[in-house]
Each structure stands twice: as C-alpha cells, then as structure tokens.
C-alpha cells in the first residue's frame, strides 16, 4: 500500500496555493478560497469582493505572463495580519506584458484598484508579483 500525503498551506490566517497557469484551474481555486473564507466566518459580500480581485489577478497572470513560453505556475498567497484586511500576493514566473491597446481588454487592474488598496506590481527576470490589500469594509479603497 502506498499512502500519499499532501500538506496544506492553509490555516485560518493564511491561504497558499501553487497552481498551473491554466484557466481551467480557476474554478477549483475559487472553490478552495470560498471554503477557506467560510471556515473563517468572513461575510459573503467580502468573499465576493476577494474572489473578484483575486480572479482578476490570476487571470492576468494566466493570459499574459506565459504568452511566448510554456505555461508555468502561479503562486497565490492570501494572509490575514489582523489589520481588518487581507493581504494578497500573486506571483508568476513569466514576463510582464504592457497593457494591450484593444478596447475590450485591460480592465483587471482597474477592477482590483476599485476593490483594494496598495496595489503594487514588481517585475524582474524571475517573474512578476502583484500585491494588494482587500479591506473588509466595503468602499474602503480610494
């Protein structure tokens, strides 16, 4: 008999997951985040805002980071530092692409900015990291 164990990087204060950069992974990642939020007792409206912001960040990495190379992985981290917001980090190992000039594209950052605070993007030869904070109080970003 073979027993496989997978250690979870999920605690009430932290959700971590490494996912393939594939749009097919988004649904299972959303389900896992919902379960994590439910276990913490976060409100449904806060959960929806978090899912929207994280979904936009993940989709951006999936669609743009690996455009000219094999799809890689995305590291997602959501942590609660006890400051009435969640801190989110989305890291890919691809290359940053400037915004497209197509009129129906490029709304992800605007959506995240409308929901979150402290949106920051750091890119280097090893990839791109997008970080932001999502306040529990609605309407908190400015």
């Amino acid at each position: 008999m073979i027993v496989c164990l997978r250690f979870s990087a999920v605690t009430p204060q932290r959700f971590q997951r490494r996912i393939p950069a594939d749009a097919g992974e988004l649904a299972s990642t959303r389900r896992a985040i919902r379960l994590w939020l439910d276990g913490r007792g976060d409100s449904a409206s806060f959960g929806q805002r978090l899912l929207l912001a994280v979904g936009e960040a993940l989709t951006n990495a999936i669609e743009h980071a690996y455009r000219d190379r094999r799809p890689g992985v995305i590291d997602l981290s959501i942590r609660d530092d006890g400051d009435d917001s969640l801190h989110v980090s989305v890291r890919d190992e691809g290359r940053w692409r400037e915004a497209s000039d197509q009129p129906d594209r490029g709304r992800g950052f605007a959506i995240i900015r409308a929901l979150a605070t402290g949106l920051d993007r750091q890119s280097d030869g090893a990839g791109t990291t997008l970080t932001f904070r999502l306040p529990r109080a609605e309407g908190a970003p400015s």
Side-chain angles (χ1 to χ4, degrees):
M1 174 196 306
I2 296 176
V3 176
C4 293
L5 296 175
R6 182 175 178 185
F7 293 98
S8 174
V10 176
T11 68
Q13 291 78 31
R14 181 179 288 266
F15 176 95
Q16 281 187 278
R17 183 160 286 192
R18 176 171 264 211
I19 64 169
D22 180 327
E25 297 291 325
L26 293 173
S28 64
T29 302
R30 280 191 301 270
R31 281 192 299 275
I33 294 170
R34 276 190 199 105
L35 287 171
W36 179 69
L37 289 167
D38 289 348
R40 293 169 38 84
D42 285 298
S43 73
S45 66
F46 178 69
Q48 289 302 318
R49 288 185 290 121
L50 179 67
L51 288 168
L52 179 57
V54 168
E56 290 297 330
L58 291 173
T59 300
N60 186 63
I62 289 168
E63 290 183 356
H64 302 291
Y66 300 101
R67 186 177 296 165
D68 62 349
R69 56 176 63 179
R70 294 180 95 184
V73 295
I74 301 169
D75 291 310
L76 169 63
S77 175
I78 307 170
R79 75 176 194 276
D80 185 342
D81 291 340
D83 63 358
D84 211 30
S85 65
L86 294 182
H87 299 252
V88 177
S89 171
V90 174
R91 174 144 182 84
D92 64 61
E93 297 171 351
R95 292 190 187 138
W96 174 253
R97 302 284 184 267
E98 290 303 325
S100 168
D101 59 358
Q102 297 175 355
D104 63 339
R105 306 295 303 163
R107 295 187 179 107
F109 277 16
I111 291 170
I112 296 170
R113 276 190 192 100
L115 297 169
T117 61
L119 178 62
D120 183 54
R121 177 190 54 85
Q122 298 292 320
S123 296
D124 59 29
T128 298
T129 302
L130 186 69
T131 58
F132 57 89
R133 287 186 25 212
L134 189 74
R136 282 191 175 75
E138 288 192 52
S142 55

